[in-house]
Amino acid sequence: MSAWLYGQFDSSLNGINHLQGFQFIEQLPWIRLDLGSLGKLEIDYFLGVDGISLPLLILSAFVMLMAIGASWNITKNAKGYFALLMLLNTAVMGIFCALDFFLFYIFYEVMLLPLYFLIGIWGGANREYAAIKFFIYTLFGSVFMLLVIVGLYFSVTNPSTGAHTFNMLHMMNPENYVDGSFFAYLNNYYEVQGIPARMLGFIVLFVAFAIKVPVVPFHTWLPDAHVEAPTPVSIILAGVLLKVGGYGIIRVCYSIFPDAAAQANWWLALLGIISILYGALNALAQKDLKRMIAYSSVSHMGFVLLGVAALTAEGISGAMFQMLSHGFLSAALFFLVGVIYDRVHDRYIYNFRGLATHMPAYTGFVAVAFFASLGLPGFSAFIGEAFVIIGTFNAESVGTGIPRWMAIAGSVGILLSCLLFSVDLTAYVFRTDTLQRW
């Protein structure tokens, strides 16, 4: 069905902030209440697809199919396992399609429960710790997100009915904000401890989505969740769930609070640089194969934040391409880890030195996945990272406030990824102590 959507999609239309640019729209009245002095409550079942959400829908569909293929060894309560997997798929698809903020939040919260149980029931030895840590991190961000959603609801009106609305497209239009409201766009805006309310709302939403990306320092749940999760859940977690954070930053933070995003982009770019370098250096130090790939994901998703913060066409396009590329490549890497772990129940990299002599075809797949993930020209990661670097480098000339040294720092992260995967591949292919010496 997602492939059919891609075939029917009209790429000449562009959405983001007006309904005419969205396709496959489904809008039905859902909740209508009269709240007396607070006005009328309008919530719609409102879905739509544009050029940002369509690629992520296709990614979700195929990564989920890949995860189901990797579930060959799930024997404990298989019915419950696949039911939770499908519920998770429903929530993720809903997030990428929802255009009503209340509906978006419901899908966002529904996504949390299946993951919690998939890790907590079918995970490794420390699965309870990893599941609870993931649950607390995500819930912390989403609780404060709800406060911003309510504030936006009372700040925005539907221009056709005059009622307050959760419609995200109306929230992106400055003309729909009520003067004197908490998130008023132009006139009589509020301040909290000297911070404009719109900046505060942007920060709260950004933190909620940064936990999902994850951005340093909100990343510590990811390695534990990856290590303890079963292989199919690791595939979904890296391939799809991390993209929810990047999608939320683009669709919600930058589209509803563009003024705050333009003021904070230097700090966001700095967080992206820190994530790139910190994630790569941590990955270099890992001896567990799953933990290594988890930290490399932190580094690669840092490019998404850097590209978005650049506020250039090349940077945002590169960020979108990086999300898609990392979705498929990280799923492939965790799939390959699962193949070897299901046979020997070991992920210690040093124990697999010389594996090419016993499993040459498998090592070939590992080599392709490693080269693709490090951004070798000819593979998808190269395109995403190159566009992010180009967009960041051009940001200074177009006046977005991002200095060129940030582009250079991002390039250093690419070099660290090359070093990481080349050393690990050497350990796989040769019977040497290369990895131990490193």
Side-chain angles (χ1 to χ4, degrees):
M1 289 177 69
S2 67
W4 179 85
L5 284 180
Y6 180 78
Q8 300 297 313
F9 188 78
D10 184 359
S11 58
S12 65
L13 299 177
N14 48 5
I16 295 294
N17 62 349
H18 55 90
L19 187 60
Q20 292 76 15
F22 285 84
Q23 301 170 56
F24 313 111
I25 296 169
E26 184 85 11
Q27 185 171 12
L28 300 170
W30 183 18
I31 299 174
R32 295 290 187 270
L33 292 175
D34 189 348
L35 301 179
S37 60
L38 296 178
K40 294 181 179 179
L41 175 66
E42 287 186 0
I43 301 176
D44 291 341
Y45 181 80
F46 187 17
L47 306 176
V49 175
D50 68 348
I52 293 178
S53 51
L54 178 69
L56 295 172
L57 286 172
I58 296 170
L59 173 70
S60 302
F62 283 93
V63 168
M64 189 64 66
L65 185 64
M66 189 176 180
I68 292 171
S71 302
W72 66 81
N73 61 343
I74 300 295
T75 55
K76 182 175 72 173
N77 194 7
K79 184 185 292 186
Y81 171 84
F82 285 107
L84 289 170
L85 215 59
M86 293 299 98
L87 180 61
L88 177 61
N89 194 24
T90 301
V92 170
M93 293 281 189
I95 288 172
F96 292 143
C97 294
L99 296 177
D100 183 280
F101 218 156
F102 186 84
L103 183 64
F104 178 94
Y105 185 78
I106 287 177
F107 282 128
Y108 193 85
E109 289 299 297
V110 168
M111 176 185 65
L112 174 62
L113 294 175
L115 262 178
Y116 172 76
F117 289 114
L118 286 169
I119 296 173
I121 297 175
W122 288 273
N126 295 322
R127 56 185 180 271
E128 292 91 353
Y129 169 78
I132 292 173
K133 190 173 183 179
F134 162 77
F135 186 88
I136 291 174
Y137 263 81
T138 306
L139 192 64
F140 173 80
S142 60
V143 165
F144 291 102
M145 184 198 298
L146 182 61
L147 297 176
V148 177
I149 293 173
V150 173
L152 284 168
Y153 168 78
F154 286 110
S155 301
V156 178
T157 57
N158 187 334
S160 59
T161 64
H164 293 294
T165 179
F166 286 102
N167 189 309
M168 294 168 70
L169 303 185
H170 292 329
M171 292 178 180
M172 297 174 192
N173 189 344
E175 298 178 358
N176 296 331
Y177 283 80
V178 179
D179 286 346
S181 60
F182 190 73
F183 289 120
Y185 206 104
L186 299 174
N187 301 319
N188 301 322
Y189 60 86
Y190 278 83
E191 290 187 353
V192 179
Q193 297 295 321
I195 302 174
R198 288 185 60 80
M199 176 60 75
L200 196 62
F202 172 83
I203 292 172
V204 170
L205 289 176
F206 173 79
V207 169
F209 293 123
I211 291 171
K212 281 289 186 191
V213 170
V215 174
V216 177
F218 309 110
H219 69 289
T220 57
W221 64 268
L222 183 67
D224 293 320
H226 270 309
V227 168
E228 300 304 328
T231 298
V233 179
S234 288
I235 290 172
I236 297 169
L237 197 60
V240 180
L241 269 298
L242 304 189
K243 313 308 170 289
V244 170
Y247 174 82
I249 291 172
I250 296 173
R251 173 74 72 198
V252 178
C253 296
Y254 271 67
S255 300
I256 296 178
F257 297 100
D259 49 336
Q263 296 176 38
N265 68 326
W266 191 92
W267 296 101
L268 302 187
L270 182 63
L271 283 175
I273 293 295
I274 293 172
S275 297
I276 292 169
L277 299 178
Y278 181 85
L281 290 170
N282 268 278
L284 272 170
Q286 300 307 313
K287 298 178 181 179
D288 184 293
L289 193 54
K290 251 190 175 185
R291 193 173 285 270
M292 181 205 76
I293 298 172
Y295 275 110
S296 72
S297 295
V298 174
S299 179
H300 289 144
M301 290 302 291
F303 282 98
V304 174
L305 183 56
L306 179 61
V308 172
L311 291 177
T312 57
E314 300 92 344
I316 295 177
S317 298
M320 276 299 303
F321 205 98
Q322 176 72 354
M323 281 199 288
L324 296 174
S325 168
H326 180 263
F328 286 111
L329 293 177
S330 61
L333 288 169
F334 279 110
F335 189 94
L336 290 169
V337 173
V339 167
I340 198 71
Y341 182 77
D342 286 341
R343 284 155 175 77
V344 297
H345 297 287
D346 187 15
R347 293 188 300 262
Y348 187 52
I349 299 171
Y350 184 67
N351 292 340
F352 297 119
R353 64 194 192 281
L355 187 66
T357 57
H358 300 286
M359 300 173 67
Y362 172 81
T363 307
F365 286 121
V366 169
V368 171
F370 276 9
F371 283 133
S373 188
L374 63 85
L376 193 72
F379 292 99
S380 58
F382 171 76
I383 300 172
E385 292 174 357
F387 266 78
V388 168
I389 296 300
I390 292 170
T392 306
F393 194 81
N394 291 338
E396 189 174 65
S397 60
V398 299
T400 62
I402 304 299
R404 287 176 175 169
W405 66 262
M406 288 188 172
I408 298 171
S411 303
V412 173
I414 299 176
L415 293 176
L416 290 173
S417 296
C418 294
L419 180 62
L420 166 69
F421 287 117
S422 61
V423 169
D424 287 329
L425 189 59
T426 301
Y428 271 96
V429 175
F430 301 109
R431 286 185 176 275
T432 66
D433 291 336
T434 303
L435 187 66
Q436 192 178 44
R437 289 201 299 273
W438 275 100

